[in-house]
Amino acid sequence: MKLWSWQKENLPSIQHSLRTALAATASVIVARLVQMPEAYWAAIATLVVMQSSLGATLTLSIERIVATALGASVGAVETNYFGSNLAAFMLAIFFIGLLSFGFRLEKTAYRYASVTLTIIVLIPRTNPAWIVALHRFIEVSVGIIVALAVVAFWPERSAVPAKNAAE
């Protein structure tokens, strides 16, 4: 039984590390410029979706935006009507699972939606739930947009040389 295994092509390169660090920092700057109260969520969203290729980043980004919108919406409704009642919280997480199944969202999206709902419902705030949900959606969207821009404009070169087409 192997407890630790890795493949050389999946290790972060210096270029990938630099791109990721710059993208996460740019996300915080943009979120602060648009005056988001919890700008660190933009950086977290960037770190979650940042992949080596634009295609992989785009796929994960769409999933993350849809999931965040779903979790924020259900979280705002739940908080507005039930506060942080744990029975309502449990039902809301289950409801998101049903919606995810109905919309054919994968388990990863269900997990993102549930995390968003949890952040909105269980962290006490003074603002109304709809404002918190909107801020969360904007913060995540900023992070995703920055990640997509960085990956699109600064493509990562493959560390593994391309095989000859004749092989």
Side-chain angles (χ1 to χ4, degrees), residues 20-61:
T20 302
L22 290 173
T25 304
S27 294
V28 173
I29 292 168
V30 172
R32 286 180 179 171
L33 286 173
V34 297
Q35 301 181 353
M36 287 292 96
E38 296 174 339
Y40 56 87
W41 284 114
I44 291 169
T46 297
L47 295 169
V48 167
V49 302
M50 196 78 181
Q51 302 291 318
S52 296
S53 70
L54 180 59
T57 302
L58 183 59
T59 301
L60 194 55
S61 296

Side-chain angles (χ1 to χ4, degrees), residues 83-164:
S84 58
N85 177 299
L86 286 180
F89 170 74
M90 180 180 69
L91 290 174
I93 296 289
F94 178 70
F95 181 62
I96 285 178
L98 294 177
L99 289 173
S100 295
F101 176 77
F103 292 139
R104 300 291 188 244
L105 300 175
E106 293 184 358
K107 287 180 182 177
T108 303
Y110 170 55
R111 189 171 52 244
Y112 291 150
S114 298
V115 167
T116 299
L117 176 131
T118 302
I119 290 165
I120 291 168
V121 172
L122 298 183
I123 297 176
R125 294 190 172 82
T126 56
N127 287 332
W130 287 106
I131 298 296
V132 173
L134 179 62
H135 285 171
R136 173 85 171 121
F137 180 75
I138 292 170
E139 290 154 359
V140 167
S141 296
V142 163
I144 289 169
I145 291 166
V146 169
L148 286 170
V150 168
V151 172
F153 293 113
W154 185 1
E156 188 169 308
R157 291 193 176 97
S158 176
V160 180
K163 295 206 178 223
N164 188 338

